[in-house]
Each structure stands twice: as C-alpha cells, then as structure tokens.
Amino acid sequence: MTDLNPVRVGICGLGTVGSGTFNVLKRNAEVIAARAGCQIVVEQIGARRDNANCPTGDVDITRDVFAVAENPNIQILVELIGGTTTARELVLRAINNGKHVVTANKALIAQYGNEIFAAAEKRGVSVAFEAAVAGGIPVIKAIREGLAANRIEWLAGIINGTSNFILTEMREKKRPFADVLKEAQALGYAEADPTFDVEGIDASHKLMILASIAFGIPLQFDKVYTEGITRIAPIDVEYAEQLGYRIKSLGIASRVEKGIELRVHPTLIPEKRLIANVNGVMNAVLVKGDAMGPTLYYGPGAGSEPTASSVIADIVDVARTLNADPKHRVPYLAFQQNSLSDVPVLSIDDVVSSYYLRISAHDKPGVLSRVAQILSDLGISIEALIQKEPAPNQDHVPVIILTNRTQERLIDSAIAQIEALDSIDGAVVRIRVESLAG
Ligand code: HSE
C-alpha cells in the first residue's frame, strides 16, 4: 500500500542524466511507488533548455534552477546540472531551505562535500550521491551498508567509462585515440570537458568519494595522485598483452601501515583477473574487506538510464526516511560525522608498486648490465626482462622490464639514472603494475 501523500521532487538539469531520470520515473512510476511507499511526483524542472528526448508534458519548467530550490512544495531537489559553481550554490540553497538533495555530481561532492554535509547535518536533511560514482552500479550502497562489518583493506576500480572505452578500442581494434574519444562524446559518456576523463580527474573525484566511505576519512580531493591515459602508446598496450597484462585506468585506494594511498593512473593488471576483462564503457570496482575478502561490482558506469537508476534509488531511499529522525538515517560518508578518521593520505613518493619500464637502448654490449646494476644498487629486483628486435634501420632496441614491488621514490631515482646513460635514448616509459590478488 502506498501512502496517499506523494513525495514531490524538483529536477535541476535535463541533460543526459536529467532526461533519463524523468523518463524512468514516469515509465516505472508504479513499481517505484510500491518500493518507496508513496508516489514520487516531479513537481518542477529547472533547465536552461528543453530536451527532445524528454517530453515533459504539463510539468512546470523554469529556466531558473534557483526557483526549484525556493519552491515550497518541493521536498527533494535533484541536482543534475553538473559543474561546481552554480551547483554548489543551488545545493546549499536547497539545504538551507530544508530540502533533501540527491545529486550525481562527483566533482561537487569530492571538492565541496565536507561543506555540504556540514550544512545538511545542521539542517537535518539528507544528501545522497550514489550516481556520482560508477553510474548505475550501487557501489556506494554496497560499501557504506553492505560491507559495514568490514575493515576495508583496499579497493581498485575502473571508474571512468570514457577512458576504459578508449583503452579497450585501442587494444581490440587498434583505433586512434582521438577517434574513440569523439565517439564517447557522441554517445554521451564523456564529461562536458573531456580532459576530465582522459586526464584522470573524473576518476579522482570518484575515488575520493569511495575512499571516504571505505576508510571513514574526510574528503580531501587535492591529495589524490592523478595521471591520465593520454601518454599511453599503442606499443605499450601491445607489449603489456605479450606479457599477459592489460592496461586499465585504475583508481586505487589502499590502507597501508603509514596511511592511505589514493591514486589514479594507467595500470598493468594480469589479464586473468575478472576486472582486466571489463571492457568498453563498463565500470567495475573491486573491494577487499577483511571479513568478506574480495568482492567485485560491475555494470554501466555512465549513460542516461543507468545513471538515472542510481539517482532514483537515492530518491526512494530519501522518500522512505523523509520523516525519520536524522540520527536514524545512514550517515553521509558511511561513518558518523564525529567518528571520521585523521589517518593521512600518503604522497605518491611513498606509494609501493611494481613497475613496467620501457627503455630505448643502443644495440651494443653492456647496456643492459648497466641498467640492471642501477636497479640492483637501489634494491629493486627485476621480475621479467624482454629485449625486442630493433626495427629496420634502427640502432635502438626497446627493452621492457617488469620490476618487483618497490617504493615510487626509488623507481624515480632509477629512472633518472637510466635516462642519464649515454646509451639510452629519450625518456623511460613507466607504468605501474598491480597484481590485485585477493
Ligand atoms: N564521464 C564519465 C565517464 C561519466 O566516462 O565515466 C560518468 O561519470
């Protein structure tokens, strides 16, 4: 039985996610009401322009999103405009007016979440953001609620669909980078500014949110080490494959003795891992809890209706607890606000990883032994070494080295010394390697 009183929502933004949210709310109104215990009614939409994919019928549309935050009939404001300037003002305005907020905005939560949650706590309202990470996959709920018994040891995720789409097409179809990016933009996967995707910034926003929920740390986006996929050469994709690895853009958060590693970068992972076989725009997050062991969450990480699925799940959650005492609601970042931890986020210099190095060496005796000596002097072991045939009319040969686990500052020193050798040409290519063993 559903409550006679409907819950009234205002949707701000009618782009890819906003139109998906409106359409799914309408199409599945009955089943959603049966789950929420009340009808969910779209009272008003705030959007700069109409969307041909989204016939809104007689719903009131305003061009001024702030009118939605001021509308006294609206209980839940759904922020889907993106960006962090107007969106931040809009969300804070809605909270100050006593409205609950559902958002898909990862940049907003990663950068201004601490401020937003403090304001929401003061006003006793909910802020829900499942759609901010990994699109349609309910991974926030899984970590925040499903894994509440566990100490999370680490998590690693493919959390940018656009980068994964590009790396997959480069490997499977040998397509050029720019072409694939254009396709991802046309399909509505890419961010308004696609450098957010290919430079790893979007994944860093999402990683910060996941890490906060996993480890109970405040949001501190500026501490995430971020490296994009723009420097990945097709040849490295090919060599990785020959060595039994795939290159994926991973977000990694790991609790180690001295603190927390937070890093987004291209990573070689063994091809036999399930997560190495997550292709195209799909996302996956691998989470290792001490009690549960490893679990993998997989699904569409972007797109209109998959992301809408998460937005609406949040609306249903908020609708169910609308009249509950705030202390009976699930905490914003999984841990109670007064139980957040001050464990430090480590600098990339302190991170420990294995490494893939590609070196262009003169084809003459003694070069490899000098490289091996530099690594050995720093205590870095070589796990595998391959010297390729020189290309026709070339006096340089590609040498690929896989190292054992070592500290980033040591590999930096090794690379500097290797690059200084006369017999080495150009920069050493370095890609981190993770086994992701459960
Ligand atoms: N641009 C993002 C991606 C969209 O490619 O994953 C979903 O957050």
Side-chain angles (χ1 to χ4, degrees), residues 10 12 44 64-72 74 77 89-99:
C12 294
Q44 192 176 31
D64 172 18
V65 286
F66 289 96
V68 181
E70 299 296 342
N71 186 330
I74 288 173
L77 182 138
E89 215 184 312
L90 177 68
V91 161
L92 290 172
R93 179 94 68 96
I95 289 170
N96 282 335
N97 288 339
K99 300 187 193 314

Side-chain angles (χ1 to χ4, degrees), residues 238-260:
E238 205 175 307
Y239 289 155
E241 198 155 23
Q242 288 172 21
L243 289 159
Y245 290 85
R246 299 262 165 93
I247 300 182
K248 294 288 179 189
S249 175
L250 279 195
I252 299 173
S254 181
R255 179 77 171 93
V256 295
E257 204 189 320
K258 289 191 200 146
I260 290 170

Side-chain angles (χ1 to χ4, degrees), residues 358-415:
R358 175 163 58 83
I359 298 165
S360 176
H362 274 253
D363 192 11
K364 62 179 191 190
V367 179
L368 277 189
S369 75
R370 256 176 253 139
V371 171
Q373 192 62 51
I374 289 171
L375 292 170
S376 141
D377 288 349
L378 287 161
I380 302 171
S381 302
I382 295 175
E383 171 89 18
L385 186 148
I386 306 175
Q387 182 181 317
K388 296 287 179 187
E389 298 275 303
N393 307 321
Q394 288 283 323
D395 59 352
H396 280 78
V397 289
V399 175
I400 317 300
I401 296 175
L402 288 185
T403 74
N404 274 346
R405 283 170 71 73
T406 187
Q407 218 180 23
E408 182 96 3
R409 70 173 84 246
L410 294 178
I411 208 78
D412 282 345
S413 164
I415 289 172

Side-chain angles (χ1 to χ4, degrees), residues 106 131-132 134-135 159-163 188-191 197 202 206 281 283 301-303 307:
K106 51 256 161 154
I159 45 180
N160 182 263
T162 302
S163 298
Y189 301 149
E191 294 302 297
D197 295 296
D202 175 75
K206 295 166 180 168
V281 74
N283 280 196
T307 312

Side-chain angles (χ1 to χ4, degrees), residues 47-58:
R48 269 179 303 179
R49 59 187 79 86
D50 294 337
N51 183 333
N53 297 324
C54 188
T56 48
D58 53 8

Side-chain angles (χ1 to χ4, degrees), residues 218-231:
L219 296 149
Q220 40 204 312
F221 171 65
D222 54 332
K223 306 230 176 93
V224 185
Y225 173 79
T226 304
E227 191 182 306
I229 60 165
T230 49
R231 276 172 294 166

